[in-house]
Amino acid sequence: MLKISFVAISLIIAGAACTARQTQESAPTYPQAWKTTLSQDHPLVGKIWSPEQDAFVTQDALLRSMRNADFVFLGEKHDNPDHHLLQAWLVERFAALDRRPAVVFEMIGEERQDDIDDFLAGRPKDAAAFGTRLAWDKSGWPAWQDYQPIADAALKYGLPLVAGNLPRRDVRKLGRNGLTVLPA
């Protein structure tokens, strides 16, 4: 049976509060250069929720859970750059555990996988150029600079990058005609 780790990190994240609320169990390891200034004093800032345990957990407990999982799904609010910093932090920590996860970008249609593979063959460490290669600025997603830390972390460890969305033509068909357009 596959073990899946779902991680919910508070949507209210700020650097000052995260630094002040570090666990005794481990040194501060969250990114220190937060971008948001909203709700820094909110009690959920810096907390990690584990649906599996139905409780808040420490960074170390989160990493132990990730180490034992077959799949780890990381979610975010797309326009919150701090969420992407946390995702990058988690990708780095996961890779540092000697795991080789594929980093799947749900925003990139699977028809672009050849572009990703070609890019990795020629410039495997340049995350800024990766965003340019994908024409991210024309994609309709928030700025590449928000997502770039995730690509930086993946490229640093030579992790596979995978396009995780349906091709645009299929997404359009789904929008117009519903699930009936998908194969069984």
Side-chain angles (χ1 to χ4, degrees), residues 100-152:
R100 303 286 307 149
V103 177
V104 180
F105 283 85
E106 59 144 320
M107 313 72 142
I108 304 171
E110 63 183 27
E111 74 277 8
R112 302 294 310 269
Q113 188 62 49
D114 287 343
D115 291 332
I116 293 171
D117 295 341
D118 289 347
F119 175 84
L120 292 174
R123 299 175 76 177
K125 300 290 184 198
D126 189 349
F130 182 62
T132 301
R133 172 68 180 259
L134 295 172
W136 194 272
D137 60 330
K138 295 177 175 68
S139 71
W141 290 99
W144 175 247
Q145 68 190 22
D146 293 348
Y147 289 86
Q148 185 174 328
I150 304 163
D152 279 326

Side-chain angles (χ1 to χ4, degrees), residues 7-10 30 46-50 55-59 62 89:
V7 179
I9 298 175
S10 170
Y30 279 153
K47 300 285 186 171
I48 302 168
W49 178 257
S50 169
F56 290 105
V57 298
T58 65
Q59 293 175 29
L62 168 64
W89 176 80

